[in-house]
């Protein structure tokens, strides 16, 4: 480098190779991440003839470097000369698709899928499809796993002979003796089914689906459930009963809870895919069973789907089905032994009120809401409160307010600060729905109590909450109810509380407007500039900077400026710093 | 807020530990029991020892069938009487197969396997603690252990009975049986895994036809553990079995076994919970190397590839394993890996975490390693010197500094001439390194400028990417196409490369790759 003497001449591939050999992984990684720069500098031909062969040979490296390489190569088409030459990228990606590390392999497959679209149909058969075949018949499971993700991208664009071969390969991988490969095949089954002609879906896919769905390993069976959604969408309604339903019924009653969990988790999709008739006859009882499953995981997954399932029921029989079949299960779940189940239910149960209408809600759902509002687990109560708006639309929140209040008070004082934080965030919403009177009477004192919480995050959220309340109820309300209390804290013996006053002023000044700020807040802030704690003093400087824009120029010059100047010569370095910053921001110098 | 005391507010950890203590000794039943309809009430059968010997086989079968009934242990008050009947029967059965000869008649085999299968084979329930940390948390115990323990006991006595005939049993103890057994290794209950370990070991010993299958399934479990779920409770137990299996491998090692070492055991070092099974894993690795020393180089390179970057705890474990390997290494193998290995050791010695540095420096207390270092001092000293010298002046921990002084002294005694040379050139070397660092930054800066130029104007943006083949880099010798002829010919580029090749670090690295 000594001889470079400022000339910009470079020899990129040498630099790259040098860097690729660097012992420091980070440096190797850097050069790989800038691979496109190098390719650009080399030009398309040398990228093809030198860079790519070099990269293909240096495949043995740390997985992190390989991951970056796999990602880069997916965007390399233009750098090797466009679609005409895109097949040059296949050799390095093929090697990357065989490494052990899943993340690298997946990225290589992703890049291969991406560049497959840039192949012409001829190139696809000449270059791409043979690669897929090689991977599909590789010795080690990794290459076969990767192959599973590539069938669907080349199938639609090849000749019928090659199509037949691809189907054959996919069949073979579905019965591979390595569970990893079967899992990969099962997870791509739905995607592959979508690109197949309907006759082959019926002849090939269904048998593969049935086989995978009764695999000895539950990790394979559960992936077949996912495929079930796609397959059911492809088949005409009259075939579903014979081709799909036996397998689906079996999955819903699988002995492994993981499979049942998957069925519960995909229930809405399954419901849409099989249509209203099968839903009525088969899925309703299956759903009831899942809601009553012996494993809490399954019940929670099913509980999460209650609202969606009910919404998607055929309209003619929706209410009957809910009232006679679903609601009894839901009632049991309200007193479930597992808190995750209850909390999953609480997050959707309010949504049922819009489906069932006012009368049913009052008669059947309200008792459940009230029970959940009294639940011992704070998350359950919180989930109910956070969805109050759904009920408000149907029956009005007043119906709930008697039970609501104790629940809110209890959450507001919960021992876990995250719970307190969560309930604070719903305060503006609650205030809006309950109205100012109710708020003043019951909730105002809570909001003020949070300002002196011993956790900073709560005090901060409480400040922000006040601002939102003022935006909702107006400046006059603020002046009468909040501001006196906030300003009173300026004389608190605890400096943290005195600082809270400043933080509140920062948040409120804009919402309250010039008059209140100048008349009531500014004097307090100015007075606090004499505080004995330096943290308070520099926060005074920060507050002045913040509320400055709200004030008129007269008070800025006559009141703010002298105080800031005094603070700027404070003995504490931080106070000085923030005072000077405020002076320059407010242009008072 | 009143629920928590002041001390808890101050110290969040106390609350965690209190909560943990409450959670301890939770127990868990498995899915299967709860799905079954209410079990029938069991009534006690007569004792086997009181029955005439002609009636014993029939009674034995009846008892086995009776024990197929499973009970719900989550409900501790349900079926108390029947549970006790079953427990007594199981315990009698255990006694019966371990003390009597000639009881394992052929018709009993299917009954025995059926009883065992219906009791132990079950879907393991979801973990009650999804972020279960085996090092910190108490495991969830199996609720039905009072029965299951006896069933495992019975299975073991059955397998160990002198009359046990694998030729008959293999019809029942088949691949499916083994597969289900292996799935149970994921049990959170350590007592269950311990039984499983012994059971699987016995089966591996007695059923030659199942050996390859068992190895392959363990392989699959490990691969899923490494690359898919990162969760399997029985890894340590399976590795322990493998340790003794590897011990019995015939020489030369089959390709399948070597593949298992390189593609499964070595990548297992990347697992998050390595600490739980590292001892067993290192034992397996060393077993392999004792069988076939030529595997040393790939194994050490594999470990270097997966060397922990952020976990000091794991780094200490890796160093421990390296020392175990060095203890059995052959001098010829040592020569093959000494350079990359000692570059890593030099980095460890300079680690700010004193436990890592200390563990690496302890290598110098090992007589055999010391003799290997002495034999190759000309190669090793230049690699180690820079970091040792720097650390002797800079490390914050006085113990490390003291250890480093001792190591430097030892090395100096091995070759004082080289030591003096390195001391003399230390400053110059550091400066050269620094300069090279700056040069590299400069190169990349310019390459970046080039890219900006190129993206702005694709055809005219490359004049500075002048291709000059007049350099001494082997890989470049055949590059004769010159892409862009715009821009002045310039030879300074080749000087750049030549010069940077001249510095120590690059010279070393290019030697490695050639």
């Amino acid at each position: 480098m000594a001889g470079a003497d400022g000339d910009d001449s470079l020899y990129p591939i040498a630099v790259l190779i040098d860097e690729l050999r660097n012992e420091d992984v980070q440096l190797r990684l850097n050069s790989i991440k800038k691979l496109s720069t190098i390719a650009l500098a080399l030009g398309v031909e040398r990228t093809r003839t030198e860079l790519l062969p070099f990269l293909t040979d240096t495949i043995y490296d740390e997985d992190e470097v390989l991951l970056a390489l796999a990602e880069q190569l997916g965007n390399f088409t233009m750098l090797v000369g466009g679609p005409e030459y895109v097949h040059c990228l296949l050799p390095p990606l093929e090697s990357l698709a065989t490494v052990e590390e899943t993340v690298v392999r997946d990225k290589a497959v992703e890049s291969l899928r991406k560049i497959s679209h840039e192949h012409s149909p001829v190139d696809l058969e000449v270059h791409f499809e043979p690669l897929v075949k090689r991977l599909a018949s590789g010795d080690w499971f990794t290459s076969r796993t990767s192959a599973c993700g590539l069938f669907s991208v080349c199938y639609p664009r090849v000749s019928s002979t090659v199509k037949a071969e691809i189907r054959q390969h996919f069949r073979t991988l579905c019965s591979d003796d390595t569970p990893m490969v079967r899992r990969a095949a099962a997870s791509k089954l739905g995607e592959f089914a979508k690109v197949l002609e309907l006759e082959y879906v019926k002849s090939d896919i269904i048998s593969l689906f049935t086989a995978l769905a009764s695999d000895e390993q539950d990790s394979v069976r559960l992936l077949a459930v996912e495929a079930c959604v796609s397959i059911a969408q492809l088949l005409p309604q009259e075939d579903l009963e014979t081709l799909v339903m036996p397998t689906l019924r079996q999955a819903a009653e699988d002995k492994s809870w993981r499979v049942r969990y998957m069925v519960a988790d995909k229930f809405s999709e399954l419901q849409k895919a099989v249509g209203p008739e099968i839903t009525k006859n088969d899925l309703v009882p299956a759903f009831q069973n899942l809601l009553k499953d012996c494993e809490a995981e399954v019940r929670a997954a099913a509980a999460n789907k209650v609202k969606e399932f009910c919404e998607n029921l055929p309209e003619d029989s929706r209410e009957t089905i809910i009232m006679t079949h679903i609601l009894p299960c839901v009632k049991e779940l309200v007193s479930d032994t597992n808190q995750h189940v209850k909390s999953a239910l609480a997050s959707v149960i309010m949504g049922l009120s819009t489906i069932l209408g006012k009368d049913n809600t009052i008669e059947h759902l309200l008792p459940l809401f009230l029970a959940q509002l009294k639940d011992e687990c704070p998350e359950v109560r919180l989930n109910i409160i956070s969805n109050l708006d759904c009920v408000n639309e149907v029956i009005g929140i007043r119906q709930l307010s008697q039970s609501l209040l104790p629940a809110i008070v209890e959450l507001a004082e919960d021992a876990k600060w995250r719970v307190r934080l969560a309930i604070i965030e719903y305060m503006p919403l609650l205030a809006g729905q309950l109205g100012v009177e109710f708020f003043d009477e019951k909730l105002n004192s809570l909001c003020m109590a949070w300002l002196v919480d011993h956790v900073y995050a709560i005090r901060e959220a409480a400040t922000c909450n006040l601002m939102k309340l003022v935006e909702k109820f107006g400046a006059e309300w603020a002046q009468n109810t909040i501001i006196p209390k906030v300003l009173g804290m300026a004389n608190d013996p605890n400096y943290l509380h005195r600082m809270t006053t400043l933080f509140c002023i920062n948040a409120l000044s804009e919402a309250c407007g010039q008059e209140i700020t100048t008349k009531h807040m500014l004097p307090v802030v100015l007075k606090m500039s004499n505080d004995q704690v330096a943290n308070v003093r520099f926060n005074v400087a920060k507050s002045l900077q913040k509320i400055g824009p709200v004030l008129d120029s007269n008070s800025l010059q006559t009141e703010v400026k002298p105080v800031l100047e005094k603070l700027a010569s404070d003995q504490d370095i931080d106070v000085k710093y923030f005072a000077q910053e405020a002076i320059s921001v407010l242009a008072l110098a | 807020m009143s629920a928590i005391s002041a001390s808890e507010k101050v110290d969040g950890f106390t609350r965690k530990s209190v909560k943990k203590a409450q959670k301890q000794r939770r127990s868990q039943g498995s899915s299967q029991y709860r799905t079954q309809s209410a079990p029938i009430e069991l009534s006690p059968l007569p004792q086997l020892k009181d029955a005439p010997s002609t009636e014993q086989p029939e009674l034995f079968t009846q008892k086995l069938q009776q024990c197929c009934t499973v009970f719900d242990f989550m409900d501790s008050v349900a079926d108390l009487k029947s549970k006790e009947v079953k427990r007594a029967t199981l315990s009698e059965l255990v006694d019966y197969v371990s003390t009597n000869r000639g009881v394992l008649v052929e018709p009993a085999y299917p009954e025995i396997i059926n009883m065992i299968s219906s009791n132990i084979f079950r879907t393991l329930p979801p973990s009650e603690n999804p972020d279960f940390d085996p090092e910190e948390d108490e495991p969830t115990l199996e609720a039905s252990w009072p029965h299951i323990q006896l069933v495992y006991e019975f299975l073991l006595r059955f397998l160990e009975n002198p009359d046990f005939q694998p030729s008959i049993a293999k019809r029942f103890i088949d691949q499916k049986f083994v597969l289900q057994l292996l799935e149970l290794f994921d049990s959170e209950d350590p007592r269950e895994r311990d039984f499983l370990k012994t059971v699987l070991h016995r089966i591996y010993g007695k059923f030659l036809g199942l050996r390859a299958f068992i190895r392959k399934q363990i392989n699959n479990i490990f691969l899923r553990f490494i690359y898919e779920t990162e969760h399997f409770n029985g890894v340590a137990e399976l590795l322990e079995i493998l340790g003794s299996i590897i011990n019995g491998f015939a020489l030369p090692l089959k390709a399948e076994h070597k593949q298992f070492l390189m593609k499964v055991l070595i990548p297992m070092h990347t697992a998050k919970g390595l600490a739980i099974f590292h001892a067993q894993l290192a034992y397996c690795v060393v077993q392999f190397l004792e069988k076939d020393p030529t595997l040393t180089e790939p194994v050490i390179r594999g470990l270097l590839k997966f060397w922990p970057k952020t976990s000091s705890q794991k780094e200490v474990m890796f160093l421990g394993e390296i020392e175990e390997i060095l203890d059995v290494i052959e001098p010829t193998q040592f020569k093959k890996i000494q350079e990359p290995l000692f570059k890593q050791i030099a980095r460890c010695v300079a680690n700010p975490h004193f436990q890592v540095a200390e563990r690496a420096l302890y290598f110098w207390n090992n007589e055999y390693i010391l003799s290997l270092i002495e034999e190759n001092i000309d190669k090793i000293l230049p690699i180690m010197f820079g970091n040792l010298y720097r650390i002797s002046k800079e490390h914050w921990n006085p113990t490390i500094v003291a250890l480093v002084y001792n190591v430097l002294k030892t090395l100096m005694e091995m070759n004082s001439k080289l030591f003096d040379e390195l001391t003399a050139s230390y400053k110059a070397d550091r400066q050269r390194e620094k300069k090279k660092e700056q040069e590299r930054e400069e190169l990349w800066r310019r390459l970046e400028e080039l890219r900006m130029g190129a993206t702005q104007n694709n055809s005219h943006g490359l004049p500075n990417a002048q291709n000059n083949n007049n350099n001494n880099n082997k890989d470049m010798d055949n590059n004769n196409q010159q892409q862009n002829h715009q821009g002045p010919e310039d030879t300074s580029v080749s000087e750049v490369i030549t010069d940077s090749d001249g510095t120590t670090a690059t010279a070393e690295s290019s030697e490695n790759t050639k």
Side-chain angles (χ1 to χ4, degrees):
Chain A
M1 196 61 198
D5 63 329
D7 194 298
D8 276 347
S9 304
L10 278 172
Y11 193 59
I13 194 154
V15 175
L16 171 73
I17 286 167
D18 214 33
E19 292 291 84
L20 271 177
R21 287 173 174 164
N22 200 302
E23 276 174 56
D24 191 333
V25 192
Q26 195 53 47
L27 297 176
R28 292 207 298 276
L29 196 57
N30 287 346
S31 45
I32 284 290
K33 283 185 175 160
K34 291 173 184 162
L35 204 59
S36 56
T37 311
I38 287 146
L40 207 59
L42 279 174
V44 291
E45 198 173 331
R46 294 190 63 206
T47 300
R48 289 198 299 270
T49 54
E50 294 167 35
L51 185 60
L52 288 178
F54 174 77
L55 292 172
T56 315
D57 293 341
T58 45
I59 283 305
Y60 184 87
D61 200 332
E62 303 232 4
D63 294 326
E64 218 179 335
V65 177
L66 298 184
L67 175 67
L69 181 58
E71 187 169 10
Q72 290 273 316
L73 291 177
N75 303 316
F76 244 55
T77 310
M78 289 323 286
L79 296 164
V80 292
E84 202 182 328
Y85 294 100
V86 66
H87 60 84
C88 298
L89 297 172
L90 297 179
L93 282 172
E94 182 175 353
S95 320
L96 289 168
T98 62
V99 301
E100 263 79 43
E101 179 52 55
T102 328
V103 183
V104 177
R105 221 164 53 217
D106 288 350
K107 193 52 94 178
V109 170
E110 194 186 313
S111 288
L112 280 169
R113 287 167 69 110
K114 208 164 166 185
I115 64 169
S116 73
H117 304 298
E118 283 151 354
H119 282 70
S120 66
V122 178
D123 278 351
L124 206 62
E125 280 195 25
V126 177
H127 299 286
F128 199 88
E129 202 269 339
L131 169 142
V132 179
K133 267 195 257 177
R134 278 196 301 278
L135 288 176
S137 43
D139 284 338
W140 189 239
F141 80 95
T142 52
S143 76
R144 303 201 297 277
T145 313
S146 295
C148 294
L150 297 173
F151 294 118
S152 63
V153 289
C154 51
Y155 189 85
R157 295 170 60 212
V158 292
S159 67
S160 56
T161 5
V162 179
K163 279 184 175 177
E165 281 174 34
I166 292 179
R167 288 195 306 273
Q168 181 52 45
H169 277 293
F170 193 80
R171 257 200 302 278
T172 315
L173 293 182
C174 283
S175 53
D176 198 280
D177 66 344
T178 322
M180 281 78 76
V181 178
R182 294 203 303 278
R183 277 196 285 276
S187 68
K188 300 293 176 191
L189 184 65
E191 179 190 290
F192 189 57
K194 281 185 192 159
V195 299
L196 247 58
E197 297 79 0
L198 186 60
E199 50 173 315
Y200 295 120
V201 173
K202 285 190 198 173
S203 62
D204 284 28
I205 296 290
I206 293 299
S207 66
L208 297 175
F209 167 62
T210 318
L212 290 167
S214 43
D215 195 276
E216 61 193 14
Q217 303 245 341
D218 60 357
S219 52
V220 178
R221 295 202 298 275
L222 65 89
L223 291 168
V225 175
E226 257 185 304
C228 186
V229 177
S230 318
I231 295 171
Q233 284 167 345
L234 297 169
L235 293 172
Q237 189 70 31
E238 64 268 21
D239 290 330
L240 284 175
E241 180 54 42
T242 48
L243 298 180
V244 175
M245 286 316 289
T247 312
L248 182 57
R249 275 185 214 117
Q250 176 195 320
E253 287 167 7
D254 197 282
K255 68 181 193 314
S256 164
W257 63 271
R258 289 187 186 84
V259 179
R260 299 196 305 271
Y261 172 89
M262 199 61 156
V263 175
D265 196 47
K266 300 279 165 210
F267 216 83
S268 306
E269 288 95 326
L270 288 166
Q271 184 188 7
K272 282 179 202 150
V274 299
E277 276 312 303
I278 296 182
T279 297
K280 266 194 264 182
N281 301 332
D282 274 280
L283 294 193
V284 172
F287 193 61
Q288 283 176 291
N289 284 337
L290 291 170
L291 288 172
K292 289 187 246 169
D293 197 276
C294 61
E295 289 301 345
E297 260 76 359
V298 180
R299 291 198 303 277
N304 256 322
K305 302 288 167 187
V306 164
K307 183 193 156 210
E308 255 184 282
F309 181 76
C310 294
E311 258 173 2
N312 295 329
L313 285 170
E315 225 160 300
D316 55 345
S317 49
R318 185 189 289 158
E319 198 176 317
T320 340
I321 294 178
I322 298 178
M323 297 308 290
T324 51
H325 299 290
I326 306 297
L327 208 57
C329 301
V330 169
K331 278 181 185 157
E332 274 176 50
L333 290 182
V334 167
S335 48
D336 199 277
T337 49
N338 184 292
Q339 67 172 53
H340 298 293
V341 176
K342 288 186 290 187
S343 135
L345 181 69
S347 65
V348 297
I349 191 173
M350 311 288 270
L352 291 179
S353 48
T354 30
I355 304 171
L356 286 177
K358 192 173 175 182
D359 294 341
N360 279 329
T361 301
I362 293 176
E363 193 185 338
H364 298 284
L365 292 176
L366 201 57
L368 303 181
F369 300 158
L370 295 176
Q372 291 217 298
L373 265 179
K374 291 186 196 111
D375 198 277
E376 55 178 12
C377 165
E379 210 183 321
V380 176
R381 284 173 269 152
L382 211 52
N383 281 345
I384 291 288
I385 290 175
S386 59
N387 288 299
L388 278 176
D389 45 341
C390 315
V391 188
N392 200 20
E393 286 163 22
V394 184
I395 56 167
I397 208 164
R398 290 274 164 186
Q399 295 272 5
L400 278 176
S401 56
Q402 281 316 310
S403 321
L404 207 48
L405 195 67
I408 294 173
V409 172
E410 213 177 308
L411 286 170
E413 290 173 353
D414 195 277
K416 294 196 190 69
W417 66 267
R418 284 176 202 283
V419 175
R420 301 201 295 276
L421 187 63
I423 188 74
I424 293 177
E425 276 160 15
Y426 293 115
M427 264 306 149
L429 179 84
L430 285 171
Q433 288 175 353
L434 292 166
V436 67
E437 253 168 73
F438 186 89
F439 184 88
D440 278 345
E441 199 179 315
K442 318 274 185 186
L443 300 178
N444 195 13
S445 56
L446 281 180
C447 293
M448 301 319 285
W450 282 319
L451 287 175
V452 292
D453 197 281
H454 62 266
V455 174
Y456 177 74
I458 300 296
R459 297 198 298 273
E460 194 187 23
T463 323
C464 182
N465 173 43
L466 286 188
M467 183 180 77
K468 288 185 188 149
L469 290 174
V470 173
E471 281 167 3
K472 217 163 219 131
F473 293 151
E476 197 186 328
W477 173 83
Q479 197 183 346
N480 294 331
T481 49
I482 293 185
I483 293 178
K485 290 181 192 165
V486 167
L487 296 182
M489 282 164 60
N491 300 318
D492 197 286
N494 186 334
Y495 84 99
L496 291 171
H497 297 169
R498 298 202 293 278
M499 292 215 298
T500 306
T501 301
L502 293 171
F503 299 144
C504 288
I505 289 174
N506 295 349
L508 294 176
S509 64
E510 206 172 317
C512 288
Q514 194 183 56
E515 199 199 326
I516 297 178
T517 308
T518 318
K519 249 198 201 151
H520 301 277
M521 298 179 178
L522 185 61
V524 176
V525 178
L526 295 175
K527 198 173 144 231
M528 288 171 86
S529 69
N530 297 318
D531 201 287
Q532 55 180 351
V533 177
N535 296 43
V536 177
R537 293 200 302 278
F538 76 63
N539 274 298
V540 166
K542 281 168 137 182
S543 287
L544 289 173
Q545 179 183 330
K546 183 97 190 184
I547 65 174
V550 187
L551 303 169
D552 61 56
S553 61
N554 183 34
S555 29
L556 270 178
Q557 288 298 333
T558 57
E559 299 183 71
V560 175
K561 193 177 171 187
V563 170
L564 281 176
E565 277 167 352
K566 187 186 74 187
L567 290 174
S569 56
D570 198 279
Q571 56 187 353
D572 186 278
I573 183 164
D574 295 316
V575 179
K576 268 194 222 172
Y577 173 82
F578 286 109
Q580 273 153 8
E581 193 182 71
I583 289 173
S584 77
V585 169
L586 297 173
L588 293 174
Chain B
M1 265 176 283
S2 51
I4 49 170
S5 72
S7 71
E8 285 169 346
K9 278 182 203 164
V10 179
D11 179 9
F13 291 104
T14 48
R15 246 164 74 207
K16 198 178 171 196
S17 57
V18 170
K19 253 171 62 192
K20 283 235 168 95
Q22 290 167 348
K23 273 200 207 156
Q24 274 176 20
R25 304 206 54 83
R26 282 170 314 164
S27 62
Q28 189 160 63
S30 40
S31 302
Q32 156 181 311
Y33 301 129
R34 283 176 256 172
T35 49
Q36 282 196 347
S37 50
I40 27 161
E41 195 157 316
L42 302 185
S43 45
L45 294 163
Q47 292 273 308
L48 277 160
K49 62 173 192 283
D50 301 336
S53 58
T54 47
E55 286 168 26
Q56 276 188 10
E58 173 59 24
L59 188 57
F60 183 47
T61 308
Q62 279 178 14
K63 288 193 178 235
L64 285 169
Q65 284 166 350
Q66 193 176 47
C67 288
C68 288
T69 317
V70 284
F71 294 95
D72 179 2
F73 274 81
M74 291 312 283
D75 187 348
S76 54
V77 287
D79 312 307
L80 275 181
K81 206 173 128 259
S82 296
K83 280 178 186 165
E84 175 52 28
V85 170
K86 180 173 169 183
R87 196 203 56 76
T89 311
L90 279 170
S91 132
E92 192 197 353
L93 287 174
V94 171
D95 206 43
Y96 185 67
V97 289
S98 40
T99 51
N100 294 309
R101 293 294 306 264
V103 296
L104 294 185
V105 290
E106 193 168 339
Y109 280 75
E111 299 293 344
I112 289 173
I113 297 300
N114 186 29
M115 189 278 279
I116 291 164
S117 305
S118 27
N119 277 286
I120 64 172
F121 294 153
R122 60 210 197 275
T123 309
L124 293 170
S127 173
E128 295 211 349
N129 181 0
D131 6 78
F132 175 66
D133 175 358
E135 280 182 282
E136 288 248 331
D137 300 336
E138 285 290 321
T140 310
L141 300 177
E142 173 59 50
S144 55
W145 190 243
H147 285 173
I148 290 212
Q149 174 180 21
L150 290 165
V151 176
Y152 276 116
E153 194 89 44
F154 178 80
L155 173 56
L156 265 183
R157 299 293 162 84
F158 166 63
L159 291 168
E160 286 166 355
N161 188 300
D163 297 331
F164 177 78
Q165 287 190 38
S167 53
I168 302 173
K170 74 178 180 195
R171 271 181 279 151
F172 312 105
I173 299 186
D174 52 4
Q175 297 194 344
K176 189 158 185 275
F177 186 90
V178 168
L179 202 62
Q180 296 184 81
L181 208 58
L182 282 166
E183 274 172 22
L184 290 175
F185 273 84
D186 195 20
S187 167
E188 240 179 72
D189 193 329
R191 303 169 301 184
E192 177 164 25
R193 297 201 304 271
D194 209 51
F195 264 114
L196 284 164
K197 186 175 71 188
T198 325
V199 167
L200 187 68
H201 204 194
R202 296 284 174 278
I203 292 178
Y204 191 87
K206 289 183 193 289
F207 297 84
L208 303 184
L210 285 172
R211 287 187 175 180
F213 180 79
I214 292 176
R215 287 197 307 270
K216 200 165 133 200
Q217 294 309 321
I218 294 183
N219 208 324
N220 287 343
I221 289 176
F222 285 173
L223 287 167
R224 186 175 65 172
F225 170 71
I226 309 166
Y227 295 117
E228 293 182 7
T229 57
E230 276 207 27
H231 181 87
F232 192 83
N233 289 315
V235 174
E237 284 80 4
L238 289 176
L239 281 168
E240 209 174 314
I241 299 171
L242 278 168
S244 63
I245 292 179
I246 296 165
N247 210 348
F249 281 165
L251 287 171
L253 289 177
K254 286 189 207 161
E256 173 213 327
H257 301 326
K258 291 187 190 172
Q259 191 179 47
F260 175 69
L261 170 68
M262 293 314 298
K263 297 209 166 186
V264 181
L265 289 186
I266 298 297
M268 273 181 89
H269 287 82
T270 58
K272 197 171 65 184
L274 179 67
I276 306 149
F277 56 83
H278 182 253
Q280 291 83 350
L281 181 59
Y283 179 79
C284 287
V285 170
V286 173
Q287 287 292 306
F288 263 113
L289 299 185
E290 289 203 273
K291 285 264 163 192
D292 183 354
T294 62
L295 292 169
T296 312
E297 189 186 351
V299 163
I300 292 193
R301 285 196 187 275
L303 289 176
L304 292 175
K305 178 180 169 183
F306 294 128
W307 201 272
K309 294 193 176 56
T310 53
S311 167
S312 303
Q313 188 208 9
K314 273 172 83 172
E315 219 171 338
V316 172
M317 287 186 254
F318 269 58
L319 284 164
E321 187 168 348
I322 291 285
E323 182 163 0
E324 280 184 56
I325 293 173
L326 289 177
D327 270 330
V328 300
I329 202 169
E330 289 182 358
T332 46
Q333 296 297 325
F334 182 80
K335 281 195 192 348
K336 289 187 193 162
I337 46 85
Q338 57 185 1
E339 283 188 41
L341 178 61
F342 274 82
K343 274 177 194 159
Q344 182 57 55
I345 293 176
R347 278 195 286 272
C348 292
V349 163
N351 197 304
H353 195 304
F354 79 100
Q355 283 174 340
V356 176
E358 188 179 53
R359 189 65 193 83
L361 289 163
Y362 280 163
F363 282 16
W364 273 263
N365 294 342
N366 183 314
E367 289 294 328
Y368 183 60
I369 297 180
L370 220 51
S371 73
L372 291 168
I373 294 178
E374 182 154 23
E375 245 172 77
N376 302 286
I377 188 72
D378 299 350
K379 287 267 191 275
I380 293 174
L381 186 52
I383 300 172
M384 293 300 300
F385 184 82
N387 276 350
L388 284 173
Y389 190 82
R390 183 167 61 82
I391 285 305
S392 71
K393 301 202 183 320
E394 283 176 9
H395 206 282
W396 62 272
N397 184 305
T399 320
I400 298 299
V401 174
L403 281 169
V404 165
Y405 271 114
N406 282 334
V407 168
L408 278 171
K409 192 163 151 274
T410 318
L411 292 172
M412 187 172 71
E413 282 160 6
M414 288 177 181
N415 187 342
S416 57
K417 190 166 161 284
L418 179 59
F419 192 90
D420 291 343
E421 282 169 24
L422 289 167
T423 317
S425 65
Y426 177 78
K427 266 213 175 109
D429 285 347
R430 292 294 86 76
Q431 274 171 357
R432 213 176 308 158
E433 266 173 32
K434 225 180 229 165
K435 192 157 167 245
K436 186 168 181 302
E437 181 66 25
Q438 286 169 353
E439 285 166 7
R440 227 202 33 258
E441 272 168 28
E442 177 68 6
L443 274 172
W444 276 110
R445 191 186 58 75
R446 282 200 252 162
L447 200 56
E448 195 56 28
E449 280 170 12
L450 186 86
R451 188 181 66 87
M452 306 292 273
T455 37
Q456 273 163 22
N457 190 334
N458 238 333
S459 52
H460 303 294
L462 306 175
N464 293 333
Q466 195 38 254
N467 305 311
N468 197 314
N469 304 309
N470 188 15
N471 66 72
N472 61 355
N473 195 323
K474 269 190 192 168
D475 295 313
M476 296 292 92
D477 283 348
N478 53 355
N479 303 338
N480 288 318
Q481 316 96 318
Q482 296 210 349
Q483 196 65 27
N484 298 293
H485 290 279
Q486 314 103 303
E489 274 295 324
D490 192 348
T491 51
S492 63
V493 177
S494 67
E495 282 164 14
V496 172
I497 304 300
T498 318
D499 196 39
S500 58
D501 267 353
T503 62
T504 23
T506 329
E508 277 164 15
S509 63
S510 46
E511 255 169 57
N512 284 340
T513 40
K514 274 169 199 167

